């Protein structure tokens, strides 16, 4: 007769199988392809899969994809491609577990973008670049962007989601107001006699973007502080498209996904570029990266075809995961859960972007600049909240802290001091 404990014994082989299945659910397969047509030679990409970092006694992997669309030359795009990732990783403490590391990414991305911009401007180069930067860790996608390249997502459940912001002055009233309140001017190119042509631009300089890395000749109200969005896909996966404005000037998001549906990633990227060139011709560098985030083994339960979504429905459309979502791995199909929005912030104010709900010891080293990571002596740093308009809630002696150089950068971006000589460039 079997004992009670024997009736509840689970064979080791089944336990190992469950562990293997859980790992496959936790770690999707990531495949990518890219295509481009060059007009100026100023588009650059960064494609890194299977990046590794030590977590406790194990190894955690993540993937990084970046698109850098340069203007006024390629120096800023090349510099950002070579240095941005290291600057982001340098802003994350090394002893965080996996969940803490993912939670730290939005703030580290802000610090990394600002440090990259600050370091590049010290080289006295006048080029600039847009950046769309994607980090995928497990099923979590974190996107940081400045400029007018875009990252869009179609999850397996259907729908189209914008994971980046468009920082063109023509379509972003909030950014126009920020620039004018910081001392810049926004207007179209004046050809004489009162006639104005072309897109809205920031003066001096003539840049039609409100955020970028580089562009030291335009003025520091053109800021490198990125819009950041973080989502967690369901275990059914999805497809990402990252493209420069050469694509988006010609195609809608719906057209981009529809024209490459069911295609493998390399063919999909090539098809999107082809469709863009057929629609508008080769007017600008045109680059596309397609990324599929897929379950590693078992097929997902059948889902309805993606729905066509109308204009203006892309806000607040993320569904929260139900507590009843199934995660059983012994079923013939894995029941899909739903996508979650984890984080979204687009403020250009460093005091808002580097603030944290987490204990400072987990997010920032006390005597290290929160942007450039330089070591500071006690008393040298300036609180990120110094000069805050809300002193009752945020005290000037609260951290995190900036070194004097990064504090000057912060004040210049907020229009609180002159950013020095500016020269007209008529760029982008």
């Amino acid at each position: 007769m079997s004992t009670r404990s024997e009736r509840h014994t689970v064979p080791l082989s089944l336990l190992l199988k469950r562990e293997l299945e859980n790992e496959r659910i936790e770690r999707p397969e990531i495949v990518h392809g890219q295509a481009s047509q060059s007009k100026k030679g100023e588009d650059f990409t960064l494609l890194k899969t299977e990046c590794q970092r030590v977590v406790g006694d194990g190894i955690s992997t993540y993937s990084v994809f970046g698109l850098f669309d340069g203007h006024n030359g390629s120096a800023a795009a090349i510099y950002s491609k070579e240095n941005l990732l290291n600057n982001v990783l340098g802003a994350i403490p090394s002893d965080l577990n996996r969940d803490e590391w993912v939670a730290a990414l939005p703030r580290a991305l802000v610090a990394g973008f600002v440090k990259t911009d600050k370091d590049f401007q010290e080289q006295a180069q006048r080029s600039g670049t847009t950046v769309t930067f994607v980090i995928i860790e497990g099923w979590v996608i974190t996107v940081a962007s400045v400029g007018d390249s875009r990252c869009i997502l179609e999850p397996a459940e259907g729908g189209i989601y914008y994971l980046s912001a468009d920082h063109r002055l023509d379509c972003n009233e909030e950014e126009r107001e920020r620039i004018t309140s910081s001392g810049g001017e926004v207007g179209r190119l004046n050809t004489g006699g009162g006639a104005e042509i072309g897109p809205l631009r920031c003066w001096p300089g003539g840049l039609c973007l409100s955020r970028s890395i580089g562009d030291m000749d335009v003025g520091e109200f053109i800021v490198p502080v990125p819009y950041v969005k973080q989502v967690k896909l369901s275990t059914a996966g999805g497809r990402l498209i990252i493209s420069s404005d050469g694509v988006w000037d010609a195609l809608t998001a719906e057209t981009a996904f529809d024209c490459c549906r069911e295609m493998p990633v390399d063919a999909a990227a090539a098809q999107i570029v082809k469709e863009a060139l057929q629609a508008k011709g080769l007017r600008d560098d045109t680059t596309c990266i397609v990324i599929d985030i897929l379950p590693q083994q078992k097929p997902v339960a059948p889902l309805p075809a993606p729905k066509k979504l109308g204009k203006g429905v892309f806000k607040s459309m993320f569904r929260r995961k139900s507590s009843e979502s199934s995660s059983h791995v012994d079923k013939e199909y894995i029941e899909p859960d739903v996508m979650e929005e984890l984080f979204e912030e687009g403020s250009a104010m460093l005091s808002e972007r580097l603030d944290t709900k987490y204990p400072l010891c987990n997010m920032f080293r006390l005597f290290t600049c929160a942007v450039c990571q330089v070591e500071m002596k006690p008393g040298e740093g300036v609180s990120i909240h110094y000069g805050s308009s809300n002193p009752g809630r945020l005290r000037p002696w609260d951290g995190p802290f900036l070194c004097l150089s990064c504090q000057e950068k912060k004040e210049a971006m907020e229009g609180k001091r002159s950013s020095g000589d500016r020269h007209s460039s008529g760029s982008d």
Side-chain angles (χ1 to χ4, degrees), residues 241 243 247-248 251 255-257 259-260 267-277 286 288-290:
I241 298 175
S243 293
V247 167
W248 306 122
L251 304 180
T255 301
F257 279 115
C259 77
C260 67
Q271 184 63 30
I272 290 170
V273 170
K274 178 181 177 182
E275 293 279 336
L277 296 183
T286 304
C288 179
I289 305 168
V290 175

Side-chain angles (χ1 to χ4, degrees), residues 281-295:
L282 185 59
R283 300 183 179 183
D284 195 3
D285 293 334
T286 304
T287 302
C288 179
I289 305 168
V290 175
I291 306 161
D292 281 348
I293 304 166
L294 306 167

